[in-house]
Amino acid sequence: MRPQLLKVPIEPGHSFSVRRDLVPHVNNRWHFHPEVELIHFKKGQGTQFVGDSMKHFKAGDVVLVGSNLPHHWHFDDITDMRVAHFHENFCGEPFLHLPENLLLKNVLDRAKRGLQVEGEARRKVAGLLEKLLEADGMHRLLLLMEALYVIAASGQAKPLSSIGFRHNFQEAEYERINTIYEYSLKHFKRPIQLEEIAAVANISPNSFCRFFKSRTRKTYSRFLIEIRVGHACKLLIENNLSIKQLCYESGFNNFTSFYKYFKLITGKSPLGYQREFTTACTLKKVSVGKRGKYRA
């Protein structure tokens, strides 16, 4: 099936869409739409593609995806997420150009590369999306603007896609990229030869190399390494395997290359990454416990 512009349904009487998704394979392909997308993964994990960015996502993540920016979430398991879709000018074109809305206009411009929301801003936006599910009337607009303001004012939103990412793919190119992504995610635990993936894309090996790099701004070998490191991050978080075991389980054929590429891509050693995640979880539990104590 040829990929098409995704049509986001909007209920009568509303200017934008907010929903809860429990089915992990809804729109589970490389797609785009004119609406800006704000998404919170309450449960679930997998591989996230936004423009030419590829990384592991997990429960708690919040992402803002700009208008017509290609994206795709490949889920490993069950999911529970909140998703808002809205046009950039959801309050009218002149509204964005008011001097008071400079921050709002700026964050929507930055979202054209995709933004990963982190820190306290992530928690606040997740809470606002939860409220949006039940809100109606003007309250909906106020909550959405508040969520965008939190992202804009926090300084805790990091761009995902590179500045030079090409947005204007031809329609058939989306189908080819989606096929490459899906095949790679299915077979990354074993070596994938250039001739093999070129045959999947239905082009010659030389043409494949040019095509893939021009559309993603990275080589296919780099792309495969990023998938493998992302999977290793997932296994480290689950903490069920030794470092040596997860090295081979992630598709690396020796520990030296695993360690080298893991640190190159994440900026941390595997054990350092695992310790950081464990510490963050411990601090979060302590914080939640304290808030519960004060409420009591």
Side-chain angles (χ1 to χ4, degrees):
M1 182 177 69
R2 291 172 67 84
Q4 298 178 353
L5 216 59
L6 180 66
K7 304 296 183 184
V8 178
I10 297 178
E11 295 178 3
H14 291 147
S15 61
F16 64 93
S17 162
V18 184
R19 69 177 190 266
R20 178 188 183 193
D21 276 348
L22 295 171
V23 181
H25 301 297
V26 172
N27 302 320
N28 188 20
R29 62 183 293 109
W30 182 240
H31 69 279
F32 65 103
H33 38 71
E35 294 84 2
V36 180
E37 180 173 316
L38 179 59
I39 184 167
H40 168 231
F41 300 97
K42 190 166 185 177
K43 294 180 182 177
Q45 61 181 353
T47 307
Q48 166 184 302
F49 303 90
V50 178
D52 59 0
S53 164
M54 192 283 294
K55 60 179 292 186
H56 176 73
F57 75 88
K58 60 187 182 301
D61 282 358
V62 171
V63 181
L64 182 65
V65 181
S67 175
N68 291 319
L69 178 61
H71 55 283
H72 168 50
W73 279 275
H74 182 91
F75 292 89
D76 293 339
D77 50 22
I78 59 169
T79 185
D80 185 359
M81 57 189 177
R82 283 76 176 122
V83 190
H85 289 102
F86 56 93
H87 286 279
E88 289 184 342
N89 59 348
F90 64 96
C91 283
E93 189 64 35
F95 182 77
L96 279 181
H97 296 282
L98 295 174
E100 293 84 355
N101 290 329
L102 183 61
L103 272 178
L104 181 61
K105 185 176 187 304
N106 180 56
V107 78
L108 290 173
D109 286 341
R110 291 177 61 214
K112 294 182 189 304
R113 292 173 58 189
L115 294 174
Q116 188 85 32
V117 184
E118 301 180 339
E120 182 66 9
R122 178 176 63 180
R123 186 189 66 79
K124 289 181 179 178
V125 172
L128 290 165
L129 275 172
E130 199 71 40
K131 292 179 181 178
L132 258 173
L133 286 173
E134 305 298 328
D136 208 353
M138 185 178 289
H139 193 207
R140 278 167 55 94
L141 285 173
L142 293 174
L143 286 170
L144 178 59
M145 284 191 284
E146 185 179 353
L148 293 173
Y149 175 77
V150 167
I151 297 170
S154 69
Q156 295 179 305
K158 294 184 178 180
L160 290 167
S161 187
S162 67
I163 293 175
F165 175 70
R166 177 186 169 188
H167 295 250
N168 57 333
F169 287 4
Q170 297 298 315
E171 197 170 327
E173 292 177 332
Y174 283 101
E175 180 67 27
R176 182 167 281 161
I177 287 288
N178 188 67
T179 301
I180 294 168
Y181 282 7
E182 288 299 317
Y183 189 87
S184 303
L185 286 163
K186 187 176 180 180
H187 299 286
F188 71 88
K189 292 183 181 181
R190 64 166 177 80
I192 300 177
Q193 302 301 323
L194 175 59
E195 292 76 13
E196 177 185 355
I197 193 63
V200 169
N202 198 28
I203 50 180
S204 71
N206 285 340
S207 296
F208 175 87
C209 293
R210 291 193 297 271
F211 168 81
F212 193 83
K213 190 164 187 179
S214 68
R215 272 63 174 183
T216 67
R217 297 180 63 82
K218 64 185 73 174
T219 63
Y220 182 69
S221 59
R222 169 73 183 206
F223 172 72
L224 264 185
I225 288 167
E226 289 180 3
I227 291 178
R228 289 165 178 158
V229 168
H231 186 69
C233 289
K234 169 183 175 289
L235 296 177
L236 282 165
I237 289 169
E238 293 173 350
N239 198 22
N240 293 327
L241 299 173
S242 69
I243 299 295
K244 188 173 182 180
Q245 285 175 313
L246 69 84
C247 159
Y248 295 106
E249 180 63 23
S250 300
F252 290 94
N253 56 18
N254 66 76
F255 185 76
T256 302
S257 62
F258 166 66
Y259 188 92
K260 170 188 171 184
Y261 288 118
F262 191 96
K263 193 161 188 179
L264 178 68
I265 290 170
T266 67
K268 306 174 184 69
S269 68
L271 283 176
Y273 180 92
Q274 190 177 54
R275 283 194 209 101
E276 186 175 293
F277 178 81
T278 304
T279 302
C281 286
T282 302
L283 290 173
K284 184 178 179 182
K285 287 178 182 177
V286 170
S287 176
V288 170
K290 286 182 178 179
R291 288 202 299 271
K293 181 180 178 181
Y294 295 147
R295 283 199 298 270

